[in-house]
Amino acid sequence: MQRILTGDRPTGPLHLGHLVGTLRNRVRLQEKYDTILIIADLHMLTTRPGREDIERITDNARGLVLDYLSAGIDPDRTTIYLQSAIPEVYELNTLFQNLVTVNRLARIPSLKEMAQNAHLDEDSMPYGLLGYPVLQAADILLPRAHLVPIGRDNLSHVEVSREIARRFNNLYGEVFPLPEPLLGDIPSLVGTDGRGKASKSAGNAIMLSDDAATVRKRVRGMFTDPARVRADIPGTVEGNPVFVYHDAFNPDAAEVEELKERYRAGRVGDGEVKERLVEALERNVFAELRERRSRWASEKGLVDEILWDGTERMRGIARDTMREVRKAMGLDRAMVRMRRAAESRAKKKGVSD
Ligand code: ATP
Ligand code: MG
């Protein structure tokens, strides 16, 4: 069975962007692939290394697992693990750092965006944030994954993983498959503020765990067409977040078409377009999410058990790969030679005593 590796940073709850960018693909493919989800807390440290951030890992990780389950992830099929609990990922990261250039990493736009979101400039950019895609390559290649379902901002990172895998295989022999990226239906869902993608850290997203009142509040606060100060002014539909979300989450195409027509003609207020969006979201997305969430959340201790068991399984997979890696690189040869020499000296000493 081929393998999937993908995941999320435990920086907060998942949002609608995750659903259409990667989560639906994970759910759809979990029967066909050995699916492994990583909770990437080491990646969180690249922008949030503080003690208070580390303190929140447990709660955020539990939240992510519940988000996965509420979206339809089946814990009997899918493995979920905590990145920092796998020593081999630190090891592989160190080896991979030599297979990519600083210039190659410095050119990646998503790293600049992440630095900006974290209020880091050139002088405060940590070495670890530059190495973000290298650590990600270690995540993906450790279980020797074939497929990586992701959103668009991660596409250039998977490209780095492929380059590192290719370089490794050329230098030391075939150990890693070249991982294929897989984009979701909407590879980058715009934020509710209309500025860039929806993001956990930017506070511009509708969360999968939001209750109905919060969903309504967030939709009501959505950025629309700023030129439209009154309902009778013709508005722009293209790129307008409210219509992007209608297209993404309202399967009633006739209703969406009608709203767009009236919007363009100045015959509908923003309030009505938003209210219809709230209804569509409740009906088509949140009803099912909440039903599943309350079912899973009622099983006490289950989430921790899933994480614990998943991390145990991943430890075994990681050990197997690292054995192959060390063998291919010949890294353990020096120690083997020393051990042999030490043993034979001990034997001779034994004879002469
Ligand atoms: P943060 O702000 O902490 O970076 P995030 O919202 O960007 O959080 P990540 O954990 O970095 O979420 O990303 C997890 C996965 O979700 C990645 O594959 C990413 O490409 C995808 N993703 C994130 N945001 C979106 C979005 N708005 N649209 C589509 N996919 C997304
Ligand atoms: Mg991100």
Side-chain angles (χ1 to χ4, degrees):
M1 208 181 199
Q2 293 214 325
R3 209 168 250 166
I4 279 180
L5 184 290
T6 186
D8 311 275
R9 306 201 295 168
T11 45
L14 295 184
H15 50 70
L16 290 176
H18 293 110
L19 193 67
V20 290
T22 138
L23 211 41
R24 280 186 178 157
N25 272 337
R26 302 179 196 176
V27 172
R28 183 170 62 83
L29 294 170
Q30 65 183 334
E31 292 181 18
K32 252 179 65 192
Y33 286 79
D34 175 15
T35 299
I36 304 179
L37 302 184
I38 176 175
I39 296 188
D41 54 346
L42 296 177
H43 276 106
M44 180 194 80
L45 298 182
T46 64
T47 53
R48 301 194 190 184
R51 284 177 74 90
E52 61 292 351
D53 300 305
I54 294 171
E55 219 21 75
R56 277 197 291 269
I57 290 175
T58 319
D59 280 346
N60 283 343
R62 287 174 176 154
L64 284 182
V65 174
L66 264 182
D67 283 338
Y68 298 154
L69 298 176
S70 71
I73 287 293
D74 175 355
D76 290 331
R77 290 184 189 281
T78 296
T79 298
I80 307 172
Y81 76 96
L82 189 66
Q83 181 186 29
S84 65
I86 308 294
E88 286 80 3
V89 80
Y90 306 73
E91 217 177 327
L92 196 55
N93 181 50
T94 302
L95 299 174
F96 282 173
Q97 283 170 357
N98 309 308
L99 306 182
V100 63
T101 65
V102 173
N103 270 341
R104 172 72 180 90
L105 298 172
R107 283 201 311 266
I108 296 174
S110 58
L111 295 184
K112 285 187 199 124
E113 195 179 305
M114 259 190 280
Q116 254 168 24
N117 282 346
H119 309 291
L120 300 164
D121 60 18
E122 239 167 61
D123 287 327
S124 50
M125 170 97 167
Y127 169 55
L129 184 53
L130 184 70
Y132 192 104
V134 182
L135 183 58
Q136 199 171 333
D139 298 331
I140 293 170
L141 299 178
L142 199 52
R144 287 180 272 190
H146 304 87
L147 194 67
V148 191
I150 37 145
R152 184 180 295 136
D153 60 322
N154 262 278
L155 204 52
S156 49
H157 302 179
V158 179
E159 193 47 47
V160 171
S161 296
R162 290 171 62 84
E163 287 166 21
I164 288 178
R166 211 178 284 127
R167 186 89 203 285
F168 185 100
N169 290 347
N170 282 340
L171 278 174
Y172 309 119
E174 292 284 325
V175 172
F176 300 111
L178 294 191
E180 289 286 343
L182 177 70
L183 288 179
D185 289 338
I186 297 166
S188 187
L189 184 72
V190 69
T192 50
D193 57 358
R195 291 200 220 146
K197 74 166 196 77
S199 158
K200 288 193 227 99
S201 311
N204 62 351
I206 301 173
M207 305 304 172
L208 304 185
S209 47
D210 282 346
D211 60 22
T214 310
V215 172
R216 168 162 287 118
K217 198 178 93 208
R218 296 205 207 260
V219 171
R220 289 209 167 271
M222 261 173 115
F223 179 86
T224 57
D225 179 346
R228 206 162 175 265
V229 289
R230 277 195 332 260
D232 61 353
I233 300 174
T236 306
V237 162
E238 286 68 33
N240 185 329
V242 184
F243 284 102
V244 173
Y245 279 58
H246 262 294
D247 284 333
F249 302 106
N250 188 349
D252 186 345
E255 179 186 22
V256 177
E257 243 351 277
E258 188 238 12
L259 284 173
K260 284 182 179 171
E261 234 175 81
R262 288 168 58 206
Y263 199 83
R264 287 196 187 99
R267 284 190 291 107
V268 65
D270 278 14
E272 185 184 339
V273 182
K274 287 179 172 176
E275 195 48 44
R276 301 274 200 98
L277 177 58
V278 171
E279 284 162 17
L281 283 171
E282 286 299 325
R283 208 171 39 238
N284 303 298
V285 181
F286 284 97
E288 197 182 27
L289 282 175
R290 292 202 197 103
E291 191 268 317
R292 284 208 203 94
R293 178 180 297 272
S294 70
R295 202 155 22 92
W296 287 115
S298 68
E299 301 213 24
K300 262 203 113 13
L302 175 76
V303 164
D304 291 291
E305 182 186 282
I306 290 171
L307 265 172
W308 182 266
D309 292 349
T311 304
E312 274 300 302
R313 172 167 187 240
M314 187 56 206
R315 284 206 179 103
I317 293 173
R319 275 195 292 267
D320 288 347
T321 299
M322 281 316 293
R323 207 175 301 121
E324 297 283 317
V325 164
R326 275 195 230 93
K327 202 168 92 195
M329 292 180 74
L331 263 182
D332 46 6
R333 243 167 257 153
M335 281 313 285
V336 170
R337 286 179 193 133
M338 281 180 240
R339 192 187 67 214
R340 279 205 201 112
E343 277 168 5
S344 89
R345 182 176 150 87
K347 219 184 268 163
K348 269 187 215 139
K349 256 172 69 188
V351 170
S352 64
D353 276 352

